[in-house]
């Protein structure tokens, strides 16, 4: 089993279940002393650069919503499942809009009601997370089932 994130690590969100997920902006360099993820999910409009750990890519243009909502549900559910025993990183360009939206969806999967998930992520991850009205609506309509 992989060692998990430190709850006090930069960008680490603790979900109500205790799962830890790191959110990150890819435009900011990764601290060379920071632990690397065992799995990264990258939310970008174009294919991300290669990384030395297992990763996935969800086509998600900046300030928009995922291009394929069914695929988004599958990869977000997989990331949530993996976070129970792996160091999972969710990242986009800036680490706020798409990353915050995805983290809020993970919070819904973890039992936070959709109407409260954005506030949860803003309180525990970044107060500017989930940048657009349509991203907020997406989270509200993202159900755990």
């Amino acid at each position: 089993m992989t060692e998990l994130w430190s709850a006090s690590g930069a960008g680490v969100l603790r979900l109500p279940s205790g799962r830890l997920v790191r959110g990150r902006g890819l435009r900011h360099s990764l601290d060379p002393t920071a632990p690397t993820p065992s799995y990264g999910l990258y939310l970008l409009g174009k294919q991300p650069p290669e990384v030395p750990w297992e990763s996935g890519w969800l086509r998600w243009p900046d300030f928009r919503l995922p291009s394929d909502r069914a695929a988004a549900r599958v990869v977000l559910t997989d990331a949530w499942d993996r976070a129970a025993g792996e160091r999972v990183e969710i990242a986009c360009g800036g680490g706020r809009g798409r990353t915050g939206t995805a983290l809020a969806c993970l919070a819904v999967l973890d039992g936070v009601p959709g109407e409260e998930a954005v506030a949860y992520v803003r309180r525990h991850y970044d107060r500017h997370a989930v940048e657009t009205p349509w991203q907020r609506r997406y989270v509200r309509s993202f159900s755990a089932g």
Side-chain angles (χ1 to χ4, degrees):
M1 183 163 152
T2 304
E3 186 178 326
L4 300 178
W5 296 118
S6 164
S8 62
V12 174
L13 171 70
R14 178 184 293 278
L15 294 167
S17 67
R19 283 175 166 90
L20 300 170
V21 181
R22 181 172 75 187
R24 184 165 75 89
L26 296 171
R27 287 192 295 265
H28 313 291
S29 351
L30 183 59
D31 176 349
T33 64
T36 57
S38 51
Y39 177 75
L41 176 59
Y42 302 105
L43 317 170
L44 299 166
K46 60 182 177 145
Q47 190 152 2
E50 293 221 6
V51 291
W53 47 82
E54 188 180 353
S55 66
W57 169 46
L58 179 63
R59 185 182 300 277
W60 191 331
D62 203 6
F63 296 106
R64 310 283 289 280
L65 295 174
S67 298
D68 182 334
R69 310 274 171 86
R73 173 168 290 288
V74 169
V75 298
L76 291 171
T77 300
D78 177 58
W80 177 78
D81 285 338
R82 286 171 175 262
E86 296 181 48
R87 282 193 310 265
V88 173
E89 167 178 89
I90 307 279
C92 65
R96 289 183 167 171
R98 294 167 285 180
T99 296
T101 302
L103 291 173
C105 291
L106 294 189
V108 171
L109 292 171
D110 208 63
V112 176
E115 305 76 41
E116 298 170 22
V118 171
Y120 182 88
V121 169
R122 286 179 174 171
R123 192 167 48 254
H124 299 286
Y125 169 68
D126 184 314
R127 65 188 182 100
H128 299 291
V130 191
E131 296 175 315
T132 69
W134 42 93
Q135 288 172 340
R136 288 191 295 276
R137 279 194 301 275
Y138 179 72
V139 171
R140 276 197 308 273
S141 67
F142 191 91
S143 64

PDB file of all heavy atoms in Angstrom, residues 94-115:
ATOM      1  N   GLY A  94      -4.674  26.119 -13.479  1.00  0.00           N
ATOM      2  CA  GLY A  94      -4.509  26.992 -12.321  1.00  0.00           C
ATOM      3  C   GLY A  94      -4.805  26.339 -10.989  1.00  0.00           C
ATOM      4  O   GLY A  94      -4.460  26.874  -9.940  1.00  0.00           O
ATOM      5  N   GLY A  95      -5.504  25.210 -10.995  1.00  0.00           N
ATOM      6  CA  GLY A  95      -5.793  24.508  -9.751  1.00  0.00           C
ATOM      7  C   GLY A  95      -7.024  24.978  -9.012  1.00  0.00           C
ATOM      8  O   GLY A  95      -7.231  24.596  -7.865  1.00  0.00           O
ATOM      9  N   ARG A  96      -7.864  25.799  -9.665  1.00  0.00           N
ATOM     10  CA  ARG A  96      -9.035  26.332  -8.968  1.00  0.00           C
ATOM     11  C   ARG A  96     -10.365  25.954  -9.605  1.00  0.00           C
ATOM     12  O   ARG A  96     -11.219  25.366  -8.954  1.00  0.00           O
ATOM     13  CB  ARG A  96      -8.951  27.853  -8.880  1.00  0.00           C
ATOM     14  CG  ARG A  96      -7.903  28.329  -7.926  1.00  0.00           C
ATOM     15  CD  ARG A  96      -7.919  29.824  -7.829  1.00  0.00           C
ATOM     16  NE  ARG A  96      -7.127  30.265  -6.700  1.00  0.00           N
ATOM     17  CZ  ARG A  96      -6.833  31.513  -6.474  1.00  0.00           C
ATOM     18  NH1 ARG A  96      -7.269  32.461  -7.289  1.00  0.00           N
ATOM     19  NH2 ARG A  96      -6.116  31.847  -5.434  1.00  0.00           N
ATOM     20  N   GLY A  97     -10.561  26.307 -10.863  1.00  0.00           N
ATOM     21  CA  GLY A  97     -11.859  26.100 -11.507  1.00  0.00           C
ATOM     22  C   GLY A  97     -12.181  24.645 -11.759  1.00  0.00           C
ATOM     23  O   GLY A  97     -13.057  24.052 -11.124  1.00  0.00           O
ATOM     24  N   ARG A  98     -11.460  24.048 -12.697  1.00  0.00           N
ATOM     25  CA  ARG A  98     -11.710  22.641 -13.036  1.00  0.00           C
ATOM     26  C   ARG A  98     -11.331  21.725 -11.878  1.00  0.00           C
ATOM     27  O   ARG A  98     -12.082  20.801 -11.535  1.00  0.00           O
ATOM     28  CB  ARG A  98     -10.923  22.259 -14.297  1.00  0.00           C
ATOM     29  CG  ARG A  98     -11.434  23.000 -15.534  1.00  0.00           C
ATOM     30  CD  ARG A  98     -10.499  22.874 -16.706  1.00  0.00           C
ATOM     31  NE  ARG A  98      -9.326  23.730 -16.502  1.00  0.00           N
ATOM     32  CZ  ARG A  98      -8.325  23.849 -17.359  1.00  0.00           C
ATOM     33  NH1 ARG A  98      -8.327  23.144 -18.482  1.00  0.00           N
ATOM     34  NH2 ARG A  98      -7.309  24.649 -17.119  1.00  0.00           N
ATOM     35  N   THR A  99     -10.180  21.995 -11.253  1.00  0.00           N
ATOM     36  CA  THR A  99      -9.761  21.170 -10.118  1.00  0.00           C
ATOM     37  C   THR A  99     -10.761  21.291  -8.972  1.00  0.00           C
ATOM     38  O   THR A  99     -11.175  20.287  -8.387  1.00  0.00           O
ATOM     39  CB  THR A  99      -8.347  21.570  -9.648  1.00  0.00           C
ATOM     40  OG1 THR A  99      -7.428  21.298 -10.709  1.00  0.00           O
ATOM     41  CG2 THR A  99      -7.926  20.822  -8.401  1.00  0.00           C
ATOM     42  N   GLY A 100     -11.167  22.509  -8.645  1.00  0.00           N
ATOM     43  CA  GLY A 100     -12.144  22.711  -7.571  1.00  0.00           C
ATOM     44  C   GLY A 100     -13.464  22.032  -7.878  1.00  0.00           C
ATOM     45  O   GLY A 100     -14.088  21.424  -6.997  1.00  0.00           O
ATOM     46  N   THR A 101     -13.892  22.096  -9.137  1.00  0.00           N
ATOM     47  CA  THR A 101     -15.137  21.445  -9.549  1.00  0.00           C
ATOM     48  C   THR A 101     -15.016  19.933  -9.380  1.00  0.00           C
ATOM     49  O   THR A 101     -15.914  19.281  -8.829  1.00  0.00           O
ATOM     50  CB  THR A 101     -15.479  21.813 -11.008  1.00  0.00           C
ATOM     51  OG1 THR A 101     -15.579  23.247 -11.116  1.00  0.00           O
ATOM     52  CG2 THR A 101     -16.780  21.174 -11.454  1.00  0.00           C
ATOM     53  N   ALA A 102     -13.900  19.361  -9.826  1.00  0.00           N
ATOM     54  CA  ALA A 102     -13.691  17.923  -9.681  1.00  0.00           C
ATOM     55  C   ALA A 102     -13.615  17.516  -8.211  1.00  0.00           C
ATOM     56  O   ALA A 102     -14.202  16.508  -7.809  1.00  0.00           O
ATOM     57  CB  ALA A 102     -12.414  17.501 -10.417  1.00  0.00           C
ATOM     58  N   LEU A 103     -12.930  18.313  -7.393  1.00  0.00           N
ATOM     59  CA  LEU A 103     -12.851  18.003  -5.962  1.00  0.00           C
ATOM     60  C   LEU A 103     -14.238  18.070  -5.321  1.00  0.00           C
ATOM     61  O   LEU A 103     -14.573  17.247  -4.455  1.00  0.00           O
ATOM     62  CB  LEU A 103     -11.886  18.958  -5.254  1.00  0.00           C
ATOM     63  CG  LEU A 103     -10.405  18.786  -5.593  1.00  0.00           C
ATOM     64  CD1 LEU A 103      -9.576  19.892  -4.952  1.00  0.00           C
ATOM     65  CD2 LEU A 103      -9.892  17.409  -5.179  1.00  0.00           C
ATOM     66  N   ALA A 104     -15.056  19.029  -5.750  1.00  0.00           N
ATOM     67  CA  ALA A 104     -16.423  19.122  -5.220  1.00  0.00           C
ATOM     68  C   ALA A 104     -17.231  17.890  -5.630  1.00  0.00           C
ATOM     69  O   ALA A 104     -18.039  17.380  -4.841  1.00  0.00           O
ATOM     70  CB  ALA A 104     -17.088  20.418  -5.698  1.00  0.00           C
ATOM     71  N   CYS A 105     -17.013  17.390  -6.837  1.00  0.00           N
ATOM     72  CA  CYS A 105     -17.687  16.153  -7.262  1.00  0.00           C
ATOM     73  C   CYS A 105     -17.223  14.972  -6.410  1.00  0.00           C
ATOM     74  O   CYS A 105     -18.029  14.114  -6.043  1.00  0.00           O
ATOM     75  CB  CYS A 105     -17.449  15.894  -8.745  1.00  0.00           C
ATOM     76  SG  CYS A 105     -18.292  17.072  -9.824  1.00  0.00           S
ATOM     77  N   LEU A 106     -15.924  14.924  -6.075  1.00  0.00           N
ATOM     78  CA  LEU A 106     -15.438  13.863  -5.189  1.00  0.00           C
ATOM     79  C   LEU A 106     -16.098  13.989  -3.816  1.00  0.00           C
ATOM     80  O   LEU A 106     -16.425  12.972  -3.188  1.00  0.00           O
ATOM     81  CB  LEU A 106     -13.917  13.917  -5.030  1.00  0.00           C
ATOM     82  CG  LEU A 106     -13.061  13.638  -6.256  1.00  0.00           C
ATOM     83  CD1 LEU A 106     -11.593  13.516  -5.854  1.00  0.00           C
ATOM     84  CD2 LEU A 106     -13.489  12.406  -7.001  1.00  0.00           C
ATOM     85  N   ALA A 107     -16.306  15.220  -3.352  1.00  0.00           N
ATOM     86  CA  ALA A 107     -16.983  15.426  -2.070  1.00  0.00           C
ATOM     87  C   ALA A 107     -18.406  14.873  -2.127  1.00  0.00           C
ATOM     88  O   ALA A 107     -18.893  14.267  -1.172  1.00  0.00           O
ATOM     89  CB  ALA A 107     -16.979  16.908  -1.695  1.00  0.00           C
ATOM     90  N   VAL A 108     -19.088  15.066  -3.273  1.00  0.00           N
ATOM     91  CA  VAL A 108     -20.429  14.500  -3.441  1.00  0.00           C
ATOM     92  C   VAL A 108     -20.358  12.975  -3.371  1.00  0.00           C
ATOM     93  O   VAL A 108     -21.161  12.337  -2.669  1.00  0.00           O
ATOM     94  CB  VAL A 108     -21.069  14.972  -4.770  1.00  0.00           C
ATOM     95  CG1 VAL A 108     -22.361  14.214  -5.068  1.00  0.00           C
ATOM     96  CG2 VAL A 108     -21.330  16.479  -4.739  1.00  0.00           C
ATOM     97  N   LEU A 109     -19.400  12.387  -4.066  1.00  0.00           N
ATOM     98  CA  LEU A 109     -19.233  10.930  -4.010  1.00  0.00           C
ATOM     99  C   LEU A 109     -18.952  10.466  -2.580  1.00  0.00           C
ATOM    100  O   LEU A 109     -19.298   9.355  -2.198  1.00  0.00           O
ATOM    101  CB  LEU A 109     -18.099  10.481  -4.934  1.00  0.00           C
ATOM    102  CG  LEU A 109     -18.362  10.643  -6.432  1.00  0.00           C
ATOM    103  CD1 LEU A 109     -17.079  10.378  -7.222  1.00  0.00           C
ATOM    104  CD2 LEU A 109     -19.481   9.725  -6.888  1.00  0.00           C
ATOM    105  N   ASP A 110     -18.350  11.346  -1.786  1.00  0.00           N
ATOM    106  CA  ASP A 110     -17.990  11.031  -0.409  1.00  0.00           C
ATOM    107  C   ASP A 110     -19.127  11.308   0.577  1.00  0.00           C
ATOM    108  O   ASP A 110     -18.947  11.146   1.780  1.00  0.00           O
ATOM    109  CB  ASP A 110     -16.745  11.845  -0.022  1.00  0.00           C
ATOM    110  CG  ASP A 110     -15.917  11.158   1.042  1.00  0.00           C
ATOM    111  OD1 ASP A 110     -15.396  10.066   0.781  1.00  0.00           O
ATOM    112  OD2 ASP A 110     -15.796  11.724   2.152  1.00  0.00           O
ATOM    113  N   GLY A 111     -20.281  11.776   0.061  1.00  0.00           N
ATOM    114  CA  GLY A 111     -21.434  11.962   0.927  1.00  0.00           C
ATOM    115  C   GLY A 111     -21.852  13.389   1.196  1.00  0.00           C
ATOM    116  O   GLY A 111     -22.861  13.626   1.864  1.00  0.00           O
ATOM    117  N   VAL A 112     -21.108  14.378   0.700  1.00  0.00           N
ATOM    118  CA  VAL A 112     -21.503  15.773   0.874  1.00  0.00           C
ATOM    119  C   VAL A 112     -22.639  16.064  -0.105  1.00  0.00           C
ATOM    120  O   VAL A 112     -22.508  15.765  -1.294  1.00  0.00           O
ATOM    121  CB  VAL A 112     -20.310  16.729   0.618  1.00  0.00           C
ATOM    122  CG1 VAL A 112     -20.744  18.182   0.705  1.00  0.00           C
ATOM    123  CG2 VAL A 112     -19.167  16.444   1.588  1.00  0.00           C
ATOM    124  N   PRO A 113     -23.762  16.628   0.361  1.00  0.00           N
ATOM    125  CA  PRO A 113     -24.847  16.956  -0.573  1.00  0.00           C
ATOM    126  C   PRO A 113     -24.352  17.906  -1.667  1.00  0.00           C
ATOM    127  O   PRO A 113     -23.535  18.799  -1.407  1.00  0.00           O
ATOM    128  CB  PRO A 113     -25.893  17.638   0.311  1.00  0.00           C
ATOM    129  CG  PRO A 113     -25.595  17.155   1.704  1.00  0.00           C
ATOM    130  CD  PRO A 113     -24.101  16.957   1.745  1.00  0.00           C
ATOM    131  N   GLY A 114     -24.846  17.716  -2.898  1.00  0.00           N
ATOM    132  CA  GLY A 114     -24.431  18.533  -4.035  1.00  0.00           C
ATOM    133  C   GLY A 114     -24.556  20.028  -3.780  1.00  0.00           C
ATOM    134  O   GLY A 114     -23.731  20.813  -4.226  1.00  0.00           O
ATOM    135  N   GLU A 115     -25.585  20.439  -3.033  1.00  0.00           N
ATOM    136  CA  GLU A 115     -25.804  21.871  -2.753  1.00  0.00           C
ATOM    137  C   GLU A 115     -24.749  22.420  -1.806  1.00  0.00           C
ATOM    138  O   GLU A 115     -24.592  23.633  -1.706  1.00  0.00           O
ATOM    139  CB  GLU A 115     -27.186  22.109  -2.132  1.00  0.00           C
ATOM    140  CG  GLU A 115     -28.365  21.586  -2.912  1.00  0.00           C
ATOM    141  CD  GLU A 115     -28.524  20.071  -2.809  1.00  0.00           C
ATOM    142  OE1 GLU A 115     -28.345  19.486  -1.713  1.00  0.00           O
ATOM    143  OE2 GLU A 115     -28.817  19.453  -3.855  1.00  0.00           O
TER     144      GLU A 115
END
